[in-house]
Amino acid sequence: MKTNEEVWSIVNELKALYPDSLCSLEYEKDYELLFSVRLAAQCTDERVNKVTPALYARFPTLESFAEADPAEVGEYIHSCGFFRAKAKDIVFASRMLLEQFHGKVPGTMEELLSLPGVGRKTANLVVGDIYGKPAVVTDTHCIRISGRLGLTDSKDPCKVEMQLRKLLPPEESNAFCHRLVLFGRDICSARSPRCGACPLAGICQSCEAASSAQEA
């Protein structure tokens, strides 16, 4: 595992690369972020952002989603994959938000996990982006890159989350995860990471192992 100094070096380097650290999903209302994250499961954020404008225009309020036929919602999100399950989750979550949470997206992990289709990744993103609480969003980029860097030693999302919570400064954790997404797209991709252009190569466990193998 990395030392505190190394962790801060990684945090600050990513902050310099991506100072804005914005969520790549586009939304205007709190519940739209919740639904967009559900749509992004096994789908790209880019695809979700192409689909949601028409979806949110057809169903402009939480009430309209709650009254919707899941089959019609599914027509708008078909290209996101698993559209039937996602459509049902969105409709039933809308009803639950209105009936149990007065139409507001709740701000605690326990409450969010009670909603259909919401897991820890979604809940963390919501409490981090909407409520500004410390959060660790363990998407595929986070799991891959934190492992390569030597910050974590597991591919299990929950274990990765807990390991990162112990390492990262709480006030930096949410932005750090957003930056990992951008970093993963630009440099540290799954199949062909650009290690030669990586500013973290000097403290990257994966890069160090690759260099040692070449020298052997």
Side-chain angles (χ1 to χ4, degrees), residues 35-36 38-52 55 74-83 86:
F35 297 164
S36 289
R38 179 67 185 99
L39 294 177
Q42 298 187 343
C43 178
T44 65
D45 291 356
E46 182 181 9
R47 167 55 54 186
V48 172
N49 288 337
K50 290 180 179 178
V51 164
T52 50
L55 175 69
E75 293 174 4
Y76 284 85
I77 64 173
H78 190 280
S79 64
C80 290
F82 303 97
F83 64 95
K86 291 178 181 180

Side-chain angles (χ1 to χ4, degrees), residues 104-126:
K104 276 186 63 69
V105 175
T108 70
M109 180 69 68
E110 182 180 9
E111 291 171 322
L112 285 163
L113 291 176
S114 72
L115 295 170
V118 175
R120 290 193 66 87
K121 182 183 80 170
T122 300
N124 269 299
L125 196 149
V126 168

